[in-house]
Amino acid sequence: MKFTDVFLQTAIKILVFIIMTFSIYVLFAGHHNPGGGFIGGLITASALVLLYIAFDLQSVRDMMPVDFNQLAAAGVIVAVLTGTASFLFHVPFLTQTFTYVNLPLLGKTELASAVIFDLGVYMTVIGTTMTIITSISEDQK
Amino acid sequence: MSNVLILPIIIPLLTGMLMIFFRRHVRMQQWLIVISLLLTIGVSTFIIHRIFRQGIIVLDVGGWHAPYGISLVGDMLSALLVLIASIICLMCSLFAFGSTSNDHKVHFVYSYILLLLCGVNGSFLTGDIFNLFVFFEVMLISSYVLLALGGKKIQLRESIKYVIINVISSTLFVIAIAYLYSITGTLNMAHLSERVATIGQDGLLTTVSLLFLSVFALKSGLFLFFWLPGSYSAAPPAIAALFAALLTKVGIYAIIRTFTLIFYHQPEITHTIILCMAAITMILGALGAVSYWEIRKILAYNVIVAVGFILFGVGMRTFESLTGALFYLIHDMLAKALIFILGGAIISIFGSDKLRNFSGLLLFRPSLGWLYFIAALALAGVPPLSGFVGKVIILKGGITEGHLIMSVIGIVTSLLVLYSVIKIFIHSFWGETLLSEGDQKATGTSALLPGSILVTFIIAMGLGAEWVLTYVEQAAEVMTNPSIYIDAVFKQID
């Protein structure tokens, strides 16, 4: 017997957008409000897991051809490289800086280098979580 | 710029992560690991040189001064250990090039070796006790993977034990840090040392210090070593060499650091306990080493004996004995890596580690045999080699301090160690040749290059002991006089 998951799939198509948006919001809110890279990454991963539940592994992989192993590694590299920039400016490792910029649409915006570090954490968390979940769910080869 | 202090931590980390993108390109990974480890060795030599000239280097990460930020502190003790750890890591990876299967190599074994080194170097360099915990975990998680990688039945069984015991000890570590933080209100080691000195080390703080001691004893195999022989004999040869040379030594370093910098006010309690544990460790380790007939088990018990001997030097806490302990620690890291690499080669040639089953290897592999012979003599502490100097200094300290029983135990266990490693030599290299050319399971040639480099180091360290001792004594000076360390960390504020 074949189940048709119309309800589940339709609901998840909408929900995933909401959850993704919320995770991005949480990621950027981290500097002044509760949130940050870790929790943002987990929320994004939970959205992806919902996709895996509603559809099968292969179709999600076709839709989003990302190697999560490499995403995690890239996250670590991004996070560490934000620290190594300090070698250029002759300040201690991992020193952060911030500046206010007038962006065309958003107006006066605070840009902090800590966000890039958080972005690295975010990528690593998504990569690690998804690697764990996809490799457990798959059979050997 | 004191930023140089972060390089031994991030060079292995970045290279290890970069390798994940070149999973199938084994040759390229091998080039990457050699280049990055040579870079790390170069940087740590430079750090030693700078510390020797200008004193302790402190890096306040993020520009936040101690005690508010995390500081990395490079004193001579940490810098020497970082250099030796990087050298050993390079040797073990050279051995791994030939001795591990291709399956291992595409499953990120080199990345994990580099991450392990990142954790080890970080533990040596950090000046913050919670950061020490984090680097311990970086090291341990990589070691879990390295132990289980390959998925043989024995590896899975032993890695379960290893993971459980380390999870428990890590939990105890966090609890100990929480107690210490609630008493002193700080996590920076220099600041902790100051606070503990101000409020005095009462019964409560001594209890916390004993909790730390049991945590580090679990990690380093001091008395609480019941997990060690099994898990070290389950790993593949190259990985076992890496573990034997690095992992327990980080625990020893943590004991040295906490008990010379923070908890040094009640030596009649804490250091007596360390001495007792060291004595029992030496005896039990030596008994294990002589009683087994499997190469892996004998070598694993040799690790335990050395831990006891080093902690014997640390427990006496005089300038002399600490110098000896550090010298012996450095020697032991090199010698353990060497003997595990050679032992691993012997096992891979015969395809078994049962000593009674084979003999007569000297005819086929003379260079391997003589390298092993030198390694065995160095381990026991025969004069021209490096094990001698450290042993003599510690034993001399033991006799002048009146720890006669301990010294006798030290000498007798040295003999037993010599017996156990020579037993391997006699049974595998001498006698009737049972193998014929082409009959062996592996060539064992991959051990020759790292083996001869390590033997060179050991001979050089024995002959140039005077020269090495100038560096080691500078490290011992900081260990006996914590105010040098504290002043270096807080110098920016004044």
Side-chain angles (χ1 to χ4, degrees), chain B residues 315-338:
Chain B
M316 285 186 295
R317 67 187 289 272
T318 58
F319 178 76
E320 280 247 291
S321 69
L322 284 168
T323 314
L326 181 54
F327 193 94
Y328 196 77
L329 176 60
I330 294 171
H331 145 78
D332 188 60
M333 289 169 82
L334 292 169
K336 283 285 140 54
L338 174 61

Side-chain angles (χ1 to χ4, degrees), chain A residues 69-74 76-78 80-81 84 86-87 90-96, chain B residues 1 3-4 6-7 10 13-14 17-18 20-23 59-64 108:
Chain A
N69 258 322
Q70 297 183 355
L71 183 70
V76 175
I77 292 177
V78 167
V80 176
L81 283 184
T84 49
S86 59
F87 279 94
H90 291 285
V91 286
F93 183 75
L94 276 180
T95 304
Q96 306 160 16
Chain B
M1 198 66 223
N3 259 336
V4 70
I6 197 75
L7 285 176
I10 60 170
L13 177 63
L14 282 176
M17 286 299 135
L18 205 61
I20 292 182
F21 295 97
F22 309 110
R23 179 174 176 184
L59 166 61
D60 292 318
V61 176
W64 302 97
F108 310 117

